[in-house]
Amino acid sequence: MRVRVFRCRICGDPYIGESPPTHCPFCGAQAQYIIDAHDWDSGEFDVELSEVSRQNLEAALDLEMGNAAFYACARDKAAADGDEYMLAKFKCLMKVEAEHASAICKFLKIDKPELSPGACSADGVENSREGYEREDRAIGAYARFRDEATEPRMKEFFGVLVEIETDHLEIHADDTK
Ligand SMILES: [Fe+2]
Ligand SMILES: [Fe+2]
């Protein structure tokens, strides 16, 4: 089987493989959102935003930047600790949250802000607990943003973020048992 180029409808990033991955390696969206790159709709991020959705995207950007900064801190602490599992987890979560911030900026038509340094614990399990709480708050906010959105694309986008952050929540739940 030959490899092909795919593209994720949630973050816009391309992927090369024989088939779509189960989850986008960049934003974490499920396979159903990953399409053949030939079928890409160039207007995917051009949405006539209602005032409510614009404000909710701005709030989502703050959440994502805050969570990315927290995960970057947790990643660095795990690295200093030599905890390879926590390093892998927090590194990946940092990249995924930064990708969500990038996608939000595409809708808002703004440049992505710089990541400012975040605070965290020195302990990986403690950071997993805080990660759980952060994901829980994000899920609550995005579920509300999804319900408030009148644009089908915004409803879809916030709905997928709820699914992705729920996956993250479950990882933290497993690591704090
Ligand atoms: Fe993606
Ligand atoms: Fe996120």
Side-chain angles (χ1 to χ4, degrees):
M1 210 164 138
R2 297 281 285 261
V3 296
R4 295 191 286 147
V5 183
F6 295 91
R7 232 173 138 172
C8 173
R9 287 190 45 251
I10 301 306
C11 67
D13 274 10
Y15 169 85
I16 290 176
E18 290 181 1
S19 51
T22 63
H23 293 77
C24 172
F26 310 104
C27 75
Q30 292 177 7
Q32 68 194 95
Y33 301 104
I34 302 169
I35 59 168
D36 189 296
H38 293 102
D39 300 329
W40 178 253
D41 171 0
S42 61
E44 203 66 276
F45 289 94
D46 299 334
V47 178
E48 192 85 52
L49 293 170
S50 68
E51 199 42 43
V52 170
S53 282
R54 175 173 302 280
Q55 281 171 13
N56 287 343
L57 280 168
E58 284 164 0
L61 181 58
D62 282 347
L63 271 170
E64 295 292 345
M65 294 301 291
N67 288 350
F70 164 74
Y71 285 133
C73 176
R75 172 204 60 194
D76 293 345
K77 298 281 194 227
D81 221 20
D83 186 335
E84 286 286 340
Y85 170 74
M86 289 292 179
L87 169 58
K89 176 175 86 165
F90 290 128
K91 180 179 182 180
C92 192
L93 289 172
M94 187 274 288
K95 291 170 87 167
V96 169
E97 305 305 13
E99 187 68 36
H100 293 172
S102 295
I104 290 165
C105 290
K106 288 183 196 175
F107 286 116
L108 288 171
K109 310 288 178 203
I110 57 172
D111 290 332
K112 197 173 150 198
E114 287 287 317
L115 202 63
S116 39
C120 64
S121 162
D123 177 65
V125 174
E126 192 44 53
N127 284 332
S128 297
R129 267 189 212 104
E130 180 172 344
Y132 183 98
E133 284 162 19
R134 284 174 172 273
E135 298 292 351
D136 198 40
R137 282 198 296 275
I139 291 163
Y142 298 156
R144 184 163 60 79
F145 298 168
R146 174 198 62 205
D147 295 345
E148 287 176 357
T150 49
E151 313 87 333
R153 173 67 167 148
M154 286 297 98
K155 245 185 205 319
E156 176 186 56
F157 181 72
F158 285 124
V160 175
L161 288 185
V162 169
E163 291 171 11
I164 298 166
E165 313 301 12
T166 302
D167 287 339
H168 298 171
L169 185 100
E170 287 168 358
I171 295 172
H172 292 315
D174 288 343
D175 292 343
T176 50
K177 274 207 274 254

